[in-house]
Amino acid sequence: MTETQEKTFLFDPGYAQHTTILSINLEYMYSMINQFRNLGQRRTQFKRFYPQIVKMVENNVGFCLGSLLWAAYIKTQDAKIEGNPCLGGEYNEDEAVEEIDFSIEYFTQLQKDAKYYLSSNYETNPLHIKILEIYKDFLTLNKGFVNTKTTSDIKLPEAIQTPASEDAQKIYSKIQEVIKSGKLLDLTEVFELIYKG
């Protein structure tokens, strides 16, 4: 390959269009719920938002898993990374992990709120917590991606391995599929291809 044909990968293959910042959106929803003094009205509001909340929480897990899978996939290639919004920024670990810490802790809140407002159980999938914890390691290991210019700059957490070439293709196909469908949590189907356990 000549210099002009150097291989490049996008920092985000297309996940962002299907995700939102969980803490900001939940803050808005809870402010809508809490504006009612009457418990019955608050219950009605929570019931209305509940499917959206669950979808956002699951999509957030899917986004984190997608980022791990994309990193493991592009790590198999020697290429430049384009469109990294964090590049050249100041790294602050507390700021970098603030949202992921919120995401992990919110599962406890969601269980309590489902019980309180809906008298139902929200069962937290332990795999989802595991994915978020690995993603947190990934963020800190890569210092918020402020210096990530090439695929060789990417550091994978201890729990994640670079996939074999056959598995890498399966991962790539699944990533393309969920980018079209928006069902990011479907990526759990290929998680074992990079997860050391």
Side-chain angles (χ1 to χ4, degrees), residues 10 29 76:
L10 288 172
M29 288 177 176
T76 64

Side-chain angles (χ1 to χ4, degrees), residues 113-197:
D113 290 345
K115 182 72 94 182
Y116 182 68
Y117 290 117
L118 308 175
S119 302
S120 69
N121 290 323
Y122 175 81
E123 293 295 330
T124 303
N125 184 332
L127 178 64
H128 294 179
I129 300 287
K130 175 60 72 185
I131 288 165
L132 294 177
E133 286 170 346
I134 295 169
Y135 182 75
K136 182 178 175 177
D137 287 348
F138 179 55
L139 278 180
T140 54
L141 202 57
N142 288 281
K143 300 197 182 305
F145 311 104
V146 296
N147 299 311
T148 309
K149 295 177 188 170
T150 68
T151 53
S152 61
D153 294 333
I154 297 170
K155 295 174 180 73
L156 296 177
E158 212 173 285
I160 301 298
Q161 63 191 1
T162 309
S165 58
E166 190 181 308
D167 290 342
Q169 276 316 302
K170 286 181 195 166
I171 289 166
Y172 182 78
S173 299
K174 194 69 186 176
I175 288 170
Q176 296 310 308
E177 184 187 304
V178 303
I179 287 167
K180 287 191 187 90
S181 73
K183 296 176 183 175
L184 301 186
L185 210 55
D186 286 355
L187 290 167
T188 52
E189 293 167 27
V190 292
F191 183 45
E192 79 279 356
L193 301 179
I194 63 164
Y195 182 50
K196 290 180 187 175

Side-chain angles (χ1 to χ4, degrees), residues 92-105:
N92 177 314
E93 188 170 320
D94 291 339
E95 283 177 19
V97 300
E98 189 176 16
E99 185 67 21
I100 196 72
D101 281 342
F102 173 87
S103 302
I104 293 167
E105 288 159 20

Side-chain angles (χ1 to χ4, degrees), residues 1-33:
M1 256 189 200
T2 64
E3 280 294 358
T4 53
Q5 293 176 302
E6 191 173 14
K7 204 168 194 181
T8 59
F9 285 103
L10 288 172
F11 184 74
D12 170 23
Y15 301 136
Q17 63 185 318
H18 303 298
T19 56
T20 55
I21 297 171
L22 192 63
S23 61
I24 292 171
N25 282 275
L26 286 173
E27 189 182 337
Y28 169 75
M29 288 177 176
Y30 276 89
S31 73
M32 297 291 284
I33 293 162

